[in-house]
Amino acid sequence: KAEEFAKDPQIKAQLELQYRGTIAQAVARDFVESNPATDAEILAEYETQLEQSSDKQYKARHILVESQGEAEALINQLNEGEDFEALAKEFSTGPSGPNGGDLGWFAPDQMVKPFADAVVALDDGAYSKAPVQTQFGWHVILREDTRENEPPTLESVRDAIKQRVEQEKFQDYMQGLRDGS
C-alpha cells in the first residue's frame, strides 16, 4: 500500500514540498548561525527604534459612532455638561464602550494616524470639538492625561531585536540571490 501511495502524483508533490521546506529551513538556520547579529547591530536597531518612538504616552477615552452627525450630537451634549464616560457607555459602538471608552495608556504610533494626531493636539482634560474620522468610524476623543514614555531597556528587548536583525540580514541575503539570478 505504501508503494502504491508513493506513486500517487499528489503524494509526490506533497513530499517534494516538504523536502524543499526542510532544505529552506536548514539554509536559513545555517545562515543565521553563520551570520549572527552583532552587539553593534543590535544596539543600532535599538537606537533606531528609540528615535522612532514617541517621547510621550497618552491616556484617553473615545466614543465611536457610525456617522459624523451622531458624533456632532455627542459633542453638543458634552458642551452642555454631559458626562463623557456615561455617553461612551450608552452610545459607543467600539469595544471600549462598556468601559466608558477607556483606551488606557498608549503611544501615538499605536493608534491610526488621524486618531493619534487628534489626541496629541488636545490638552489634558479636553475633548475633541470636531469629530475625528478613521476607517473605524467617527470618534469623539477625551485626552485624560499625558506622561513621559518609558522606553524598554535594551536588555528587555535584546532577544526580539536580535531576531529582527537576523531576519533582515537573511532577507537581504535572499534578495541578493534573487537579484543575482
Side-chain angles (χ1 to χ4, degrees), residues 78-90:
L78 290 168
N79 290 340
E80 293 169 4
E82 293 285 334
D83 180 62
F84 193 99
E85 198 172 332
L87 290 174
K89 286 179 183 177
E90 185 175 350

Side-chain angles (χ1 to χ4, degrees), residues 89-181:
K89 286 179 183 177
E90 185 175 350
F91 295 105
S92 185
T93 61
S96 65
N99 298 329
D102 188 7
L103 297 171
W105 289 98
F106 58 88
D109 61 356
Q110 293 174 284
M111 299 293 181
V112 294
K113 186 164 177 35
F115 189 94
D117 290 348
V119 170
V120 170
L122 290 169
D123 292 327
D124 288 350
Y127 59 87
S128 51
K129 301 300 181 196
V132 177
Q133 186 180 21
T134 70
Q135 69 263 38
F136 304 108
W138 292 86
H139 305 262
V140 179
I141 304 166
L142 168 65
R143 183 169 119 185
E144 294 185 308
D145 202 358
T146 307
R147 69 181 181 194
E148 294 299 314
N149 189 12
E150 294 284 331
T153 64
L154 174 58
E155 288 312 309
S156 70
V157 294
R158 176 180 283 282
D159 290 341
I161 290 176
K162 179 179 186 287
Q163 186 176 21
R164 178 178 293 136
V165 168
E166 289 171 348
Q167 285 174 343
E168 288 174 5
K169 287 169 76 168
F170 183 68
Q171 292 300 323
D172 291 346
Y173 168 71
M174 293 297 293
Q175 190 60 49
L177 291 175
R178 285 185 200 102
D179 293 346
S181 64

